């Protein structure tokens, strides 16, 4: 017999529901995220250089996948994890070559 009881804490369910509801607006609001932030770009570029080309990295809480895509473009083998399936739909649409999965940290 398989136990199908949902043990997800209420705050996780509430967070998922919220981000699912605002995903498209969030992605549009922060469309220029990394491109408009030179310090963020520099830190992420330095990180990619330290990790090394081709190394596997997971972006936990990836949202619409902007940082995931940026790091992939720098040569890292990226994957993304997010709680919100709506955020993941955007991440997959904008980064078709990167695997994204739904889950909780």
């Amino acid at each position: 017999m398989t136990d199908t009881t949902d043990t997800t804490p209420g705050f996780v369910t509430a967070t998922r529901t919220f981000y699912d509801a605002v995903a498209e607006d969030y992605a549009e609001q922060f469309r220029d995220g990394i491109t408009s932030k030179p310090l963020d770009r520099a830190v992420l570029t330095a990180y990619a250089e330290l990790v090394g080309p081709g190394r596997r990295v997971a972006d936990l809480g990836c949202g619409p996948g902007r940082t995931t895509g940026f790091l992939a473009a720098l040569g890292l083998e990226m994957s993304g994890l997010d709680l919100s399936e709506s955020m993941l739909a955007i991440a997959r649409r904008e980064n078709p070559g990167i695997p994204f999965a739904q889950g909780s940290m």
Side-chain angles (χ1 to χ4, degrees), residues 38-57:
L39 182 57
D40 288 358
R41 285 194 317 274
V43 169
L44 289 168
T45 300
Y47 172 75
E49 289 175 5
L50 287 171
V51 171
R55 300 299 299 268
R56 292 171 55 179
V57 175

Side-chain angles (χ1 to χ4, degrees), residues 71-91:
L71 288 170
L74 294 175
L76 298 179
E77 184 182 330
M78 296 299 300
S79 63
L81 177 80
D82 201 86
L83 190 60
S84 166
E85 188 56 47
S86 296
M87 288 287 192
L88 291 169
I90 297 165

